[in-house]
Amino acid sequence: MAPPIALGWWGVPLAIFAGAIRVSTPFLFVSLGEVVTEKAGRINLGLEGTLVMGAMSGYATSYLTGSPWLGVLAAGLVGAMLGLLHGGLCGLPRVNDIAVGIALMLFGTGLAFYLGKPFVAPKAPNLPSLPLGAWSDLPQVHAALSVNALFFIGILAAPLLRWMLANTGLGLMIRMVGDSADAARAMGYHVNRVRLWATAYGGFMAGVGGSFLSLYYPGSWNEGLSSGQGITAVALVIFARWDPMTCLWASLLFGGAGALGPALQSVGVTQGYYLFNAAPYILTLLIMIISCAPDRTLVGAPGELSITR
Amino acid sequence: MAGRLAAAALAPLLAVLASMVLFGAFLFAAGVDPLQAYGLIWLGAWGSWFSWQNTLVRAAPILLTGLCMALPAQIGLVVIGAEGAFVLGGLGATAAGLWLAGLGLPPLLVQIGMGLAGIAVGGALIAGCGALRQYRGVNETISSLLIAYIAIAVMNQLVGGVMRDPASLNRPSTRSLPDAVMLGNIPGTSVHVGLIFGVVACIGAWWLVYHTRYGFAARVVGGNARAGRVAGLPVGRLILSFCFLAGGAAGLAGMVEVAAVQGAASADLATGAGYTGILAAFLARQNPLALIPVCLLLGGLDAAGGLLQQRLDVPDATMMVLRGVLFLTLLASESLQGRISLPRLVRPRLAPVAAAGE
Amino acid sequence: MTSTHLTRRAALLGAAAATTTLAARGAYAAPYTVGFIYVGSRTDYGYNQAHAEGAAAVRKMSGVSVVEQSKVPETVACANAMASMIHLDGASLLFPTSFGYFDPYVLRAAKQNRDVTFMHCGGLWKDGDPLNAHSYFGYIDEAVYVSGIVAGHMTKTGKFGFVAAKPIPQVLRNINAFTLAAQSVKPDITTSVIFTGDWFMPVREAEATNSLADQGVDVITCHVDSPKVVIETAEKRGLFTCGYHTDQAVLAPKGYLTGAEWNWPYLYPRWVAELKAGKTISNYIRGGFREGFVKSSPYNKIVPESARQQADAVRNQFKAGSFAIFKGPIKDNKGNIVIPAGKVMGEHDPVLEEMGYLVAGVSGSTS
């Protein structure tokens, strides 16, 4: 291997690009899951707990079975179960979905930390990556373009979901349940059941997103793994106006913003790194302020979503 | 009245019992004796005067941060940014305290100044969320959460940067407040007076919400904002003032944390009291008076958590699981309320139900 | 619910009745109970694990029982934990192991519990502080220096990367020691530092390591509470690593050169024995290789003989007390002379505990 060459300031855009891919994948999966849940009229704040549970169970399964992909599947199933719990509880009368979300966040995180204690030390097999950067001589490009298969699955899923929501009967049902429960009932749709499955699907995706953290990047399980990615992804869905393709771009943006801090420090810009690290949150808040207006609900918001009424 | 209280308390009590059973099953599956665990929780939380003092100290900040969720909830807003108001309120109080003490003012005035500063900073933050909601239509749950994250980053930046005490090398923090200015303990105990602030604030908030016209107006708006507007209620003013009070409570809790416990502002200011307050408010069903017993419960669980960890060798996450179970069962029990019928003798004459904000 | 203050003996009996685990071993006479409080998890492959290994050594002593609590933040929870260990477990000796516990929690607890001894790691005890509080720390920068020598021999690009939590003196001292050591082998070696902002941030640590790798560094070391993520990420990028706190060689079999470790399992049983026997020990305890406070991880088999010899020689000089890392002239990375020519600062020089600069060749800012 050729000795590493310093890239100087070129390192910054490369790091942002590489970071955008690495750091965005959990955001991508969680937001592609939550977008369907919210289209159906539920908001699931518990995805933070689901993400962490997914990370833990994915890592544990990979360690116990030797197969990281089995870990991803297990993470998704665990996430789906938590999603069912959320959907089930919200289906009861007079239960507030934001409260359930916060409760699940606590429960999921606590359960993950509790069950995950024996898995902090051992090393589980990680997910493989596709070496798309092999054409370059620079090891940095190798590393930057060493992309994980999950990222590709995510990129493919985004337009697929948009097509599904806009053009299929299933998508129509989901949207109708989310826009107007009365109209949906009139059409004969079972509102609670649709929402239940939408939330389970959202949980599945969040679990998979979590498994990416523990099985690929950073690639090990410990308790500081998530720093609010689940909640940020929920904000991301709103920011993306409930459109799966915009979720994709927004995830990349957030991933790049997250990589900005360390990248700048490595070229010597060292002031104010706390604020750089808070960049994704500041960005989301600014964009929400700019694009919301008091006289109309957010464009594209599902009518039944509790936070926009 | 007693009957109504019983009816209202029934569902949460059943929830606590149900969660104890569920948590016990969880422990049993994990190979831990549930009765032993509950015994230890009792011992560590409420089993002796020593434990009670621990519990009260842990409960004190939650009384105030719980109000940060419960007050806007009356208007129908779900604000979860208490941690941000707590942290920046504490920082603001520290700055005010250092400045006022430097001017040579008597300690009582410095303390009042710190309290006002904490309330002002915290209040401004949450009032900002309310304003964003009212005038820009930005959802307050998301905005308050983002603002909490941003506030913590700002606090870290300031404490490690311009506000740093050059002598605080190994743990960046502001200069320490002079001892004379620190809040003391309730006489005869080792519990600081912040507890009194919390209890008084909860009672005051309850009075405001349920026994004043202003509070009534807020609850009407919380039930149906449009109807409130049609009735001529000053919705914007209500939202801003309630959010200010909410943030002010959390900011005051931050001031207490600095002036009674930590002595200076550092990264340790982010204790998580803000998030526990959210849980407390939900468990208390957004009723400020019910917040008091709930905080005694949560404070006790916090105080006893360490004991469980060290005696039964269970991970620290165990108490997180208990909290989550408690919360989930309470939410499930909410929906059963009304389905559980009290025996004829005690069934209260229910007044027309004012719709609680969702 | 009684309102009388439980005596420690009564509390112990009550506790023994309430639990079946840990507690008194052997004779009914109350054992000497030692409490350990960690800010993080005991299995973090880092700072806390090092202390837990020391606690495990204490547990093996006869007549001594150990209670531990982990994930105790530097808030009132720490005061809570200490108080409960004293009142409910009857602890006579406490090891609160995180820096931020000292002021105000340990100081307050020491004043309130005059018959309990507090051994605080990292603190800065000074005259006027309670006599039952002690602070200890090790000159781990000596071991970091030795790591730096090995790294200096192994690097091909002459660029080091250092992932650090916060720019506090203990961290800056390590960065400087590492760099100075490597520069003694090859004077042009430079170190890039990235501060993550806090002691435990896995995703940010991974990002920082990747950024540094993109910049062409080929040796990575760190000063964070749990080096696991940094070491594993560096291994994935094919870089050399030097460890910290404990031995992380198992995480990076190809690239882990050596590491700087604490030697608490050697020290803790000694202190416990002394305190149990009623001896008084100093309130301000420091030590390096010579006193057995620190040690180096075994060398990776790829480390050549020349590097080993130089590293071993320096280590022996440390043990003999004849080596100084910080001897002038030393310039900081802004060009100022921070240690003039001819001046030698021994490790125990208190001025070093307030270090606020990074030496020339380090890119990074202390504020």
Side-chain angles (χ1 to χ4, degrees), chain C residues 30-113:
Chain C
Y32 189 75
T33 304
V34 183
F36 286 86
I37 303 177
Y38 313 111
V39 72
S41 158
R42 273 179 288 179
T43 53
D44 66 352
Y45 266 107
Y47 182 78
N48 297 291
Q49 185 166 317
H51 287 293
E53 286 169 1
V58 172
R59 196 173 259 143
K60 294 200 187 99
M61 298 169 72
S62 64
V64 171
S65 85
V66 167
V67 290
E68 295 167 286
Q69 246 186 65
S70 3
K71 303 280 285 295
V72 179
E74 294 173 350
T75 64
V76 77
C78 163
N80 204 164
M82 289 195 289
S84 115
M85 282 181 178
I86 295 171
H87 293 276
L88 297 176
D89 297 306
S92 317
L93 170 61
L94 289 184
F95 280 86
T97 60
S98 182
F99 185 84
Y101 293 158
F102 193 64
D103 183 4
Y105 308 111
V106 170
L107 290 173
R108 263 188 218 147
K111 286 185 196 128
Q112 286 167 354
N113 302 281

Side-chain angles (χ1 to χ4, degrees), chain B residues 205-250:
Chain B
W206 172 75
W207 185 264
L208 171 71
V209 169
Y210 291 104
H211 290 268
T212 65
R213 255 189 312 169
Y214 204 62
F216 180 70
R219 282 183 292 134
V220 168
V221 170
N224 189 329
R226 202 165 290 149
R229 226 174 269 129
V230 162
L233 294 173
V235 175
R237 197 147 41 101
L238 282 167
I239 288 183
L240 285 179
S241 59
F242 265 68
C243 285
F244 184 84
L245 286 174

Side-chain angles (χ1 to χ4, degrees), chain B:
Chain B
M1 221 289 264
R4 204 146 28 117
L5 201 65
L10 191 63
L13 279 176
L14 281 180
V16 172
L17 279 168
S19 55
M20 281 177 69
V21 171
L22 282 171
F23 186 61
F26 170 74
L27 287 175
F28 186 71
V32 175
D33 178 2
L35 290 177
Q36 203 177 23
Y38 285 129
L40 283 176
I41 292 181
W42 177 260
L43 180 68
W46 309 290
S48 68
W49 176 228
F50 159 75
S51 323
W52 262 103
Q53 291 181 93
N54 272 343
T55 297
L56 289 172
V57 169
R58 303 302 282 264
I62 322 175
L63 288 167
L64 290 167
T65 56
L67 286 177
C68 188
M69 161 110 228
L71 280 172
Q74 308 299 329
I75 295 222
L77 267 50
V78 179
V79 169
I80 55 179
E83 188 77 1
F86 182 88
V87 156
L88 283 184
L91 192 62
T94 312
L98 290 171
W99 178 57
L100 291 172
L103 293 178
L105 293 179
L108 186 62
L109 284 183
V110 178
Q111 287 170 343
I112 294 177
M114 286 201 290
L116 289 175
I119 293 175
V121 172
L125 207 63
I126 305 293
C129 293
L132 282 178
R133 156 76 184 235
Q134 178 65 5
Y135 302 115
R136 284 299 300 173
V138 178
N139 175 260
E140 74 285 357
T141 310
I142 308 285
S143 72
S144 62
L145 187 67
L146 292 172
I147 282 183
Y149 279 128
I150 296 172
I152 294 176
V154 167
M155 185 273 293
N156 272 314
Q157 184 65 37
L158 289 175
V159 157
V162 293
M163 287 183 71
R164 176 149 82 141
D165 175 11
S168 72
L169 295 159
N170 275 307
R171 187 176 62 137
S173 83
T174 62
R175 281 180 290 130
S176 295
L177 293 169
D179 277 337
V181 151
M182 299 280 288
L183 292 175
N185 288 339
I186 302 173
T189 73
S190 50
V191 180
H192 58 76
V193 295
L195 179 71
I196 311 262
F197 294 176
V199 172
V200 168
C202 282
I203 296 177
W206 172 75
W207 185 264
L208 171 71
V209 169
Y210 291 104
H211 290 268
T212 65
R213 255 189 312 169
Y214 204 62
F216 180 70
R219 282 183 292 134
V220 168
V221 170
N224 189 329
R226 202 165 290 149
R229 226 174 269 129
V230 162
L233 294 173
V235 175
R237 197 147 41 101
L238 282 167
I239 288 183
L240 285 179
S241 59
F242 265 68
C243 285
F244 184 84
L245 286 174
L252 186 65
M255 172 261 179
V256 168
E257 182 71 17
V258 173
V261 180
Q262 297 199 13
S266 69
D268 294 329
L269 203 48
T271 63
Y275 296 117
T276 313
I278 299 172
L279 175 62
F282 270 110
L283 288 176
R285 301 167 79 197
Q286 318 297 351
N287 181 319
L289 205 57
L291 207 53
I292 299 179
V294 166
C295 288
L296 290 178
L297 173 67
L298 288 180
L301 292 181
D302 274 346
L307 201 60
L308 269 190
Q309 203 204 111
Q310 87 196 56
R311 295 287 180 82
L312 297 179
D313 207 23
V314 291
D316 46 279
T318 312
M319 292 318 256
M320 273 181 93
V321 174
L322 176 55
R323 278 192 192 178
V325 169
L326 200 59
F327 203 169
L328 287 173
T329 48
L330 181 89
L331 291 171
S333 77
E334 291 258 301
S335 75
L336 291 177
Q337 188 205 9
R339 300 243 195 114
I340 307 169
S341 50
L342 294 172
R344 269 215 95 91
L345 290 163
V346 289
R347 197 175 292 159
R349 255 181 298 125
L350 291 174
V353 178
E358 278 250 353

Side-chain angles (χ1 to χ4, degrees), chain A residues 120 140 143 217 223 265 270 274, chain C residues 71 195 197 207 214 228 365:
Chain A
V120 175
Q140 289 90 332
Y217 187 80
E223 292 175 13
Q265 274 200 63
T270 51
Y274 284 111
Chain C
K71 303 280 285 295
F195 293 106
E207 262 316 296
D214 287 338
K228 181 171 189 238
S365 154

Side-chain angles (χ1 to χ4, degrees), chain A residues 87-148:
Chain A
L89 276 175
C90 290
L92 296 174
R94 273 196 313 272
V95 177
N96 176 276
D97 55 2
I98 293 189
V100 176
I102 297 179
L104 259 184
M105 182 169 30
L106 280 176
F107 180 67
T109 313
L111 195 64
F113 288 179
Y114 185 90
L115 296 174
K117 285 284 177 184
F119 297 105
V120 175
K123 186 107 192 59
N126 278 6
L127 287 170
S129 50
L130 301 164
L132 294 180
W135 50 267
S136 161
D137 280 332
L138 293 170
Q140 289 90 332
V141 178
H142 282 179
L145 292 181
S146 189
V147 177
N148 177 259

Side-chain angles (χ1 to χ4, degrees), chain A residues 4-8 11 15 19 22-23 59 120-123 126 139-140 143 216-225 229 259 262-263 265-267 270-271 273-274 277, chain C residues 41 43 45 71 157 159 165-167 192-197 200 202-204 206-208 210-218 228-229 232-233 236-237 251 364-365 367:
Chain A
I5 306 161
L7 295 177
R22 275 193 295 262
V23 180
Y59 194 77
V120 175
K123 186 107 192 59
N126 278 6
Q140 289 90 332
Y216 189 72
Y217 187 80
S220 66
W221 160 251
N222 55 47
E223 292 175 13
L225 209 55
Q229 275 111 318
Q265 274 200 63
S266 75
V267 287
T270 51
Q271 301 292 343
Y273 50 82
Y274 284 111
N277 288 327
Chain C
S41 158
T43 53
Y45 266 107
K71 303 280 285 295
T157 66
K159 303 186 72 168
K166 298 191 197 212
S192 296
V193 181
I194 294 191
F195 293 106
T196 59
F200 187 49
V203 180
R204 223 168 274 166
E207 262 316 296
N210 275 302
S211 275
L212 290 167
D214 287 338
Q215 286 298 316
V217 307
D218 64 350
K228 181 171 189 238
V229 171
E232 285 179 340
T233 311
K236 276 187 210 155
R237 291 294 296 260
L251 298 174
S365 154
S367 60

Side-chain angles (χ1 to χ4, degrees), chain A:
Chain A
M1 187 176 77
I5 306 161
L7 295 177
W9 274 95
W10 274 111
V12 179
L14 184 67
I16 294 180
F17 178 72
I21 297 178
R22 275 193 295 262
V23 180
S24 67
T25 310
F27 287 130
L28 185 58
F29 273 84
V30 179
S31 62
L32 288 180
E34 177 71 358
V35 76
V36 171
T37 309
E38 290 193 18
K39 273 288 197 200
R42 284 267 166 77
I43 182 164
N44 186 354
L45 285 178
L47 289 180
E48 178 73 16
T50 312
L51 183 100
V52 178
M53 255 319 264
M56 192 282 296
S57 45
Y59 194 77
T61 309
S62 172
Y63 177 71
L64 293 170
T65 64
S67 159
W69 287 108
L70 216 57
V72 174
L73 185 65
L77 289 175
V78 166
M81 285 200 292
L82 284 174
L84 284 173
L85 182 60
H86 185 281
L89 276 175
C90 290
L92 296 174
R94 273 196 313 272
V95 177
N96 176 276
D97 55 2
I98 293 189
V100 176
I102 297 179
L104 259 184
M105 182 169 30
L106 280 176
F107 180 67
T109 313
L111 195 64
F113 288 179
Y114 185 90
L115 296 174
K117 285 284 177 184
F119 297 105
V120 175
K123 186 107 192 59
N126 278 6
L127 287 170
S129 50
L130 301 164
L132 294 180
W135 50 267
S136 161
D137 280 332
L138 293 170
Q140 289 90 332
V141 178
H142 282 179
L145 292 181
S146 189
V147 177
N148 177 259
L150 278 180
F151 179 69
F152 282 115
I153 297 177
I155 301 189
L156 291 174
L160 206 67
L161 277 172
R162 179 197 250 193
W163 174 82
M164 185 275 283
L165 283 171
N167 295 24
T168 66
L170 177 66
L172 179 64
M173 181 170 70
I174 293 174
R175 279 184 293 127
M176 190 170 278
V177 161
D179 272 328
S180 166
D182 292 330
R185 258 178 233 119
M187 290 283 295
Y189 297 140
H190 200 284
V191 169
N192 264 343
R193 202 180 294 159
V194 173
R195 288 180 180 165
L196 183 71
W197 288 114
T199 316
Y201 157 79
F204 180 86
M205 293 295 271
V208 170
S211 71
F212 176 85
L213 285 172
S214 63
L215 289 174
Y216 189 72
Y217 187 80
S220 66
W221 160 251
N222 55 47
E223 292 175 13
L225 209 55
S226 173
S227 47
Q229 275 111 318
I231 295 275
T232 314
V234 174
L236 206 157
V237 168
I238 299 175
F239 170 98
R241 290 283 184 276
W242 295 274
D243 172 31
M245 281 306 287
T246 321
C247 284
L248 173 62
W249 304 126
S251 303
L252 288 171
L253 182 67
F254 275 46
L260 192 64
L264 285 176
Q265 274 200 63
S266 75
V267 287
V269 176
T270 51
Q271 301 292 343
Y273 50 82
Y274 284 111
L275 296 176
F276 275 120
N277 288 327
Y281 309 121
I282 301 178
L283 202 63
T284 310
L285 189 63
L286 278 177
I287 295 193
M288 280 187 85
I289 295 176
I290 294 173
S291 55
C292 292
D295 50 349
R296 53 178 169 83
T297 52
L298 296 169
V299 172
E304 292 282 332
L305 206 58
S306 57
I307 60 168
T308 56
R309 277 188 294 185

